[in-house]
Amino acid sequence: MVTDNSDREKHRSQGRKYDFLIALAAQPNAGKTTLFNTLTGKTGYVGNWPGKTVERMEGEFVHHGKIFHVIDLPGIYSLSALTLEEFVSREFIVDERPHAIVVLLDAEALERSFYFLLQVLELMGKVIVAINKYDLAQSKGLHINTERLENELGVPVIAISALKKTGLGELLDRIVDVAEGRLGREEEFRIEYGPLEHYVNRIENILIEHNLFEKYPRRWVALRILEGDLYFMKEVEEKDSRAAKAIEDIIEEIKKVYKKDPVEIIILYRYKFVNDLLSRVIEKVRVSEKRFIEKLDSILLNPFSGPILSSLILLSMMSFAFIINTGFPLNYAFRSLGYEVIAEYIEENSLSSIISKIFSVIAEYFRSVAVSYNVQDWLVDLVVEGIIPGVGSVLTFLPLIFIVNVLMAILEDSGLMSRIAVSFDRLLKKVGLTGKTIFPLTLSLGCNVPGIMGTRILETDEERLSAIVLMPLIICQARLFVLLIMVSALFTGAIMQTFVIASIYIISVTLFLIFNKVITKRVFKQKEVPELIIELPSYHLPSFRVIRWISWERSKSFIIKAGTIIFLFSIILWALLYFGPSTTQNVEESYGALIAKTVTPALSIIDIDNWIIPFALIFGWIAKEIFITSIVIATGKISPIEAVASLTLTPLQSYALLVLVMFYSPCLAAFVTIFSETRSFKLTVFSVIVSLLIGFTASISVYWIGRILGYI
Amino acid sequence: MSDDVVPLSTMPENSKCVVEELSAGVGLTRRLMEMGMVPGTEVEVVRNNLGPIIVRVRGITIAIGRGMAHHIFVKKIE
């Protein structure tokens, strides 16, 4: 199972040549992203594993004139195929046979780290062990005899600090040594499993006899099967039912003799091995005192103060992101206090306003240049009203997504994230979700797109898919913008306006929670409420170098993916508005307007017969803020508030329409993201249908309940 | 099971116990064992109020959903 190291031919990855392929593996919270970033610097980029929704980081470094291509495996607790991340990781090791694997250990969680290391060593011997955060552990009185450890394991061991960049030179040297075959193990590492050995050998022999799993170390597969690995067992059943039967008999025999599941015995033996090993290589341990920051736990993990403080943290983070992006709610606060000048200053200097200003300047400049060169009218219109706003709408997404990515990375890196998940667990459990769902939910308040992507942290499929399908019910910032304009135009009085805004958010969260309970149970057939199991890592000061890098890379990969589609659709929208059956260039006679007019009767149920509203609803699907833009275009007014006010709706109609606009469908970007995350067209359409049904039902109910109660 | 074996969820805060048996679903049980909560391991209950239980096992802190904690059986140690 050893790759040929004399192979000097250059390998390829996406057209790039490299000398050695290196994998980076670690458990969560070990500091792997920091090490990856330190090693690869600016060459690192974030993508996806082919055909999977698992994030994949790749990069390169050069050492002693050799190019090393680094693949960062996802942070996983083990190499069993319980999660997609684990499956992806082990298949990579087996299929791609990297020249070396760097296993990063967390010096602050040594036992768990070693457990993981052993699993990698059992699969492949070409390993370099890097013990991260060794300086922190040392300050707590821990000393590891790395030389002895090297002898026991047969692979190089280096103490490093990825953050402080210590020990890295030696790490690089050892990577070269292992990749070129001077160091490291030729064979996989072998742990004795006591009474199970005899059974392991029997299964191994069955596999060899039936020529199963030739690309894997057979002993490793035998152990995996004993550990209840469904993936391998299914393979055996499909390929050879006699072999499957023989293996099942062996497992039954173990269960009968030892009154235990073999997985329990295996994990027990592996941990026993770890304990013995550590007792030989750790030279002194002095119990350290709790750091002051750990006292934060008594507030954050308290069942009463925890949810309050957690809400405050998330709320202030989101307000911060909102204020930078649009000025809301700071502008409202200043305006209500009478400081109109400050409110305007905040609005004008918000990122979205600056970006839209830049784009209107570019558009005007292009128009003036084009006119002087006698460019045809339709072409100028296509660029000025189709392409430039299209690119603009993609780019206005970027700052918010970047800021939200930064804030989330800080939460994750500091150790706060898992504490917040714990404090929301009690509430979210009631609707079939675990506390971790609070993160995608919070992200969605900014934009549904990162929210939908953020569901990756959820453990079970039912939980994740249900959250994805219903995520569009959460009011994002684009809809907040629509909400604010409609409320200013259609309702009077500060109290009434505040009431309407608050009620929409309450309806949004309520709908999400109720329908989650229904959908997890009825659609995804969730048998039992998922249980939270999450590690609470010790608090850390986040590394801003790493956070800046990862947030930027994640934002970039979003813009490339979603941007192209949003861009395409904005050109289609422009064409629908520009062209029509008649030659007169009147919006009311464009194809877009004609389509809207055919669906207008559907809105008669809330007594609306103005074609502009379905017109705006149809185009608002591309991006929710286009709802307002469309009304502006169709009414011919200049100010958005005037345009909406000119629709002459009753207060009850206004409210019903508002409910409809807020919930009727995920926008195009969310739609695309739902598809790319679920890889299921069925689920994506299901999400749209659910939103449409919820939106219309809620709107109609509000209207008719209001009518019955005597409102107009 | 003898009398002093109780569900983890019933253990008072700041008490210590030894894992006897995990009997939740296969996936969750395995996850916990892989994080070091194998039978025979000493566990310190850090927090046990409403919501998830917080324990310290092998030098790391883990939050475990309450429903799951009902299915983890432990033996008290004085």
Side-chain angles (χ1 to χ4, degrees):
Chain A
M1 309 310 297
V2 179
T3 41
D4 183 11
N5 291 306
S6 59
D7 174 18
R8 275 276 176 274
E9 241 181 290
K10 298 248 179 181
H11 301 264
R12 285 179 163 274
S13 164
Q14 302 192 343
R16 291 182 62 97
K17 284 182 177 171
Y18 58 86
D19 295 288
F20 295 111
L21 181 63
I22 307 295
L24 197 56
Q27 292 193 325
N29 305 314
K32 194 161 53 64
T33 310
T34 309
L35 178 62
F36 177 81
N37 178 241
T38 306
L39 287 179
T40 60
K42 284 201 160 66
T43 68
Y45 60 94
V46 177
N48 270 17
W49 289 85
K52 301 270 170 20
T53 55
V54 179
E55 194 174 82
R56 167 178 170 135
M57 291 192 257
E58 279 178 68
E60 266 168 16
F61 67 85
V62 178
H63 191 61
H64 292 328
K66 295 277 184 331
I67 302 169
F68 291 79
H69 191 81
V70 188
I71 304 280
D72 186 39
L73 301 177
I76 44 177
Y77 280 106
S78 84
L79 285 179
S80 41
L82 278 183
T83 64
L84 201 54
E85 284 82 357
E86 292 168 354
F87 182 73
V88 158
S89 301
R90 78 178 192 197
E91 287 306 292
F92 176 81
I93 295 174
V94 173
D95 288 335
E96 304 293 323
R97 308 230 131 253
H99 295 91
I101 305 177
V102 178
V103 178
L104 189 67
L105 307 187
D106 180 353
E108 292 193 307
L110 271 183
E111 283 179 76
R112 173 165 70 59
S113 293
F114 267 88
Y115 178 87
F116 177 72
L117 168 65
L118 286 177
Q119 291 193 55
V120 179
L121 279 170
E122 282 182 295
L123 176 60
M124 189 175 163
K126 298 169 74 62
V127 164
I128 302 104
V129 179
I131 306 177
N132 197 19
K133 305 180 199 168
Y134 190 53
D135 50 334
L136 287 176
Q138 242 178 345
S139 69
K140 286 182 187 169
L142 182 93
H143 181 78
I144 303 167
N145 185 338
T146 50
E147 220 166 286
R148 177 146 193 189
L149 194 54
E150 283 184 345
N151 290 335
E152 298 240 4
L153 296 176
V155 295
V157 179
I158 304 107
I160 66 161
S161 165
L163 195 61
K164 292 178 187 152
K165 303 187 179 183
T166 54
L168 294 178
E170 202 194 339
L171 175 64
L172 291 181
D173 288 343
R174 295 296 91 76
I175 292 175
V176 178
D177 288 340
V178 172
E180 294 186 338
R182 281 186 300 276
L183 280 178
R185 304 177 61 87
E186 289 294 302
E187 293 297 318
E188 299 88 38
F189 193 76
R190 193 182 165 103
I191 299 172
E192 299 297 320
Y193 289 95
L196 284 189
E197 275 304 320
H198 159 66
Y199 300 100
V200 176
N201 290 338
R202 271 167 65 188
I203 296 178
E204 213 182 322
N205 287 335
I206 294 173
L207 298 178
I208 295 170
E209 212 176 290
H210 295 261
N211 295 320
L212 293 161
F213 307 112
E214 278 163 330
K215 64 175 183 176
Y216 300 89
R218 253 52 168 265
R219 180 182 164 84
W220 184 80
V221 178
L223 283 165
R224 280 288 153 217
I225 288 175
L226 281 178
E227 285 182 66
D229 192 303
L230 293 174
Y231 169 79
F232 284 130
M233 213 42 216
K234 226 173 99 194
E235 284 266 300
V236 180
E237 270 158 27
E238 275 166 20
K239 285 187 179 141
D240 201 317
S241 59
R242 280 206 351 264
K245 176 80 179 68
I247 293 174
E248 271 158 22
D249 285 346
I250 294 175
I251 295 175
E252 280 314 305
E253 199 183 321
I254 300 172
K255 281 183 184 163
K256 211 184 263 167
V257 175
Y258 297 97
K259 309 257 179 309
K260 268 184 188 149
D261 199 298
V263 61
E264 209 174 293
I265 306 175
I266 291 175
I267 297 180
L268 203 61
Y269 265 89
R270 217 176 269 141
Y271 263 111
K272 195 167 159 292
F273 185 92
V274 170
N275 284 347
D276 291 348
L277 182 68
L278 288 181
S279 71
R280 290 194 297 273
V281 299
I282 291 185
E283 287 183 351
K284 65 169 183 188
V285 183
R286 191 178 64 227
V287 180
S288 66
E289 279 170 39
K290 271 192 180 170
R291 285 185 301 158
F292 180 72
I293 184 81
E294 310 293 339
K295 297 215 166 86
L296 194 54
D297 269 356
S298 58
I299 311 171
L300 264 175
L301 297 177
N302 179 292
F304 304 103
S305 58
I308 298 172
L309 185 59
S310 299
S311 310
L312 280 177
I313 293 173
L314 293 178
L315 215 67
S316 49
M317 274 182 33
M318 288 323 287
S319 330
F320 172 72
F322 279 22
I323 289 167
I324 292 184
N325 204 46
T326 63
F328 179 83
L330 203 60
N331 55 347
Y332 262 55
F334 277 111
R335 192 159 285 142
S336 66
L337 291 172
Y339 297 104
E340 182 65 31
V341 187
I342 302 179
E344 264 172 35
Y345 178 82
I346 293 169
E347 280 163 15
E348 273 169 29
N349 288 289
S350 68
L351 280 173
S352 63
S353 136
I354 292 171
I355 290 175
S356 73
K357 257 184 237 157
I358 293 173
F359 277 96
S360 61
V361 169
I362 294 174
E364 282 317 306
Y365 177 73
F366 180 85
R367 193 188 284 282
S368 64
V369 172
V371 167
S372 66
Y373 282 93
N374 287 324
V375 178
Q376 278 180 321
D377 269 1
W378 70 270
L379 201 60
V380 178
D381 263 30
L382 171 64
V383 174
V384 172
E385 277 159 22
I387 293 175
I388 293 177
V391 176
S393 79
V394 175
L395 286 183
T396 40
F397 265 113
L398 189 59
L400 182 68
I401 289 193
F402 177 71
I403 295 166
V404 168
N405 273 335
V406 167
L407 294 172
M408 281 293 146
I410 292 174
L411 276 191
E412 202 178 344
D413 216 28
S414 62
L416 277 172
M417 193 180 226
S418 42
R419 270 103 180 156
I420 294 175
V422 168
S423 61
F424 278 102
D425 192 56
R426 210 150 48 100
L427 170 76
L428 290 168
K429 211 172 162 170
K430 295 199 169 86
V431 298
L433 300 166
T434 63
K436 289 184 187 174
T437 324
I438 193 66
F439 294 103
L441 278 178
T442 313
L443 288 170
S444 281
L445 286 173
C447 173
N448 286 179
V449 170
I452 292 162
M453 296 196 286
T455 59
R456 287 173 187 180
I457 60 166
L458 303 183
E459 214 104 352
T460 64
D461 272 356
E462 300 95 37
E463 210 186 340
R464 177 157 191 250
L465 295 177
S466 170
I468 289 179
V469 165
L470 293 173
M471 207 51 90
L473 291 174
I474 300 298
I475 306 288
C476 63
Q477 257 200 321
R479 276 176 279 175
L480 173 65
F481 165 78
V482 176
L483 179 63
L484 293 176
I485 287 179
M486 289 182 70
V487 165
S488 317
L490 300 169
F491 297 91
T492 44
I495 295 173
M496 185 61 177
Q497 289 179 347
T498 315
F499 169 77
V500 172
I501 295 174
S503 72
I504 290 291
Y505 274 91
I506 292 168
I507 293 174
S508 150
V509 173
T510 314
L511 285 175
F512 179 84
L513 295 179
I514 291 174
F515 279 96
N516 233 304
K517 200 170 172 74
V518 177
I519 285 191
T520 46
K521 274 241 170 67
R522 300 263 174 262
V523 181
F524 297 118
K525 312 275 182 235
Q526 187 184 57
K527 283 183 199 76
E528 48 194 59
V529 179
E531 289 284 339
L532 183 79
I533 296 181
I534 193 169
E535 191 192 335
L536 306 180
S538 44
Y539 290 102
H540 280 286
L541 201 60
S543 152
F544 285 93
R545 167 172 58 95
V546 178
I547 284 171
R548 205 180 51 216
W549 173 78
I550 184 107
S551 310
W552 174 242
E553 285 299 322
R554 280 179 180 156
S555 311
K556 218 166 67 185
S557 93
F558 156 74
I559 290 298
I560 293 165
K561 263 192 297 186
T564 42
I565 296 165
I566 297 173
F567 176 66
L568 263 175
F569 269 84
S570 45
I571 293 176
I572 296 173
L573 165 69
W574 169 83
L576 280 172
L577 285 175
Y578 190 83
F579 298 107
S582 70
T583 44
T584 54
Q585 279 191 14
N586 189 341
V587 177
E588 207 166 325
E589 279 161 33
S590 67
Y591 287 116
L594 290 180
I595 295 167
K597 281 174 186 169
T598 60
V599 294
T600 308
L603 289 180
S604 62
I605 195 155
I606 51 172
D607 294 335
I608 287 176
D609 53 8
N610 189 340
W611 70 272
I612 294 177
I613 289 167
F615 172 79
L617 284 172
I618 291 171
F619 291 110
W621 179 70
I622 290 163
K624 294 291 168 121
E625 59 271 31
I626 294 180
F627 178 80
I628 298 291
T629 323
S630 312
I631 293 177
V632 173
I633 295 172
T635 55
K637 295 265 193 290
I638 295 165
S639 121
I641 293 178
E642 258 177 59
V644 175
S646 74
L647 297 173
T648 58
L649 299 165
T650 69
L652 188 58
Q653 274 179 334
S654 305
Y655 195 72
L657 177 62
L658 201 52
V659 170
L660 183 60
V661 175
M662 290 297 121
F663 303 115
Y664 76 102
S665 165
C667 70
L668 177 64
F671 178 84
V672 170
T673 314
I674 292 173
F675 181 71
S676 74
E677 289 294 305
T678 60
R679 305 253 159 206
S680 157
F681 192 65
K682 230 163 83 185
L683 273 178
T684 314
V685 172
F686 176 65
S687 172
V688 174
I689 292 173
V690 167
S691 299
L692 276 174
L693 282 177
I694 292 175
F696 272 95
T697 315
S699 175
I700 293 165
S701 315
V702 163
Y703 187 70
W704 285 101
I705 292 172
R707 282 289 294 270
I708 289 163
L709 293 176
Y711 294 97
I712 47 157
Chain B
M1 257 180 269
S2 59
D3 289 347
D4 50 350
V5 174
V6 294
L8 178 65
S9 51
T10 64
M11 291 294 292
E13 285 186 5
N14 298 317
S15 65
K16 281 186 180 169
C17 52
V18 172
V19 180
E20 281 285 312
E21 200 190 330
L22 299 111
S23 63
V26 186
L28 292 174
T29 299
R30 180 136 101 206
R31 174 96 318 143
L32 274 180
M33 291 210 278
E34 282 170 347
M35 288 173 112
M37 265 187 90
V38 273
T41 316
E42 194 181 303
V43 172
E44 188 191 337
V45 180
V46 181
R47 233 160 259 284
N48 183 1
N49 207 312
L50 302 162
I53 277 194
I54 319 274
V55 294
R56 264 190 93 72
V57 188
R58 299 178 191 267
I60 60 168
T61 312
I62 313 175
I64 303 169
R66 185 150 290 272
M68 172 93 204
H70 289 314
H71 299 284
I72 300 170
F73 293 96
V74 297
K75 205 174 196 167
K76 290 179 216 173
I77 34 179
E78 299 315 318

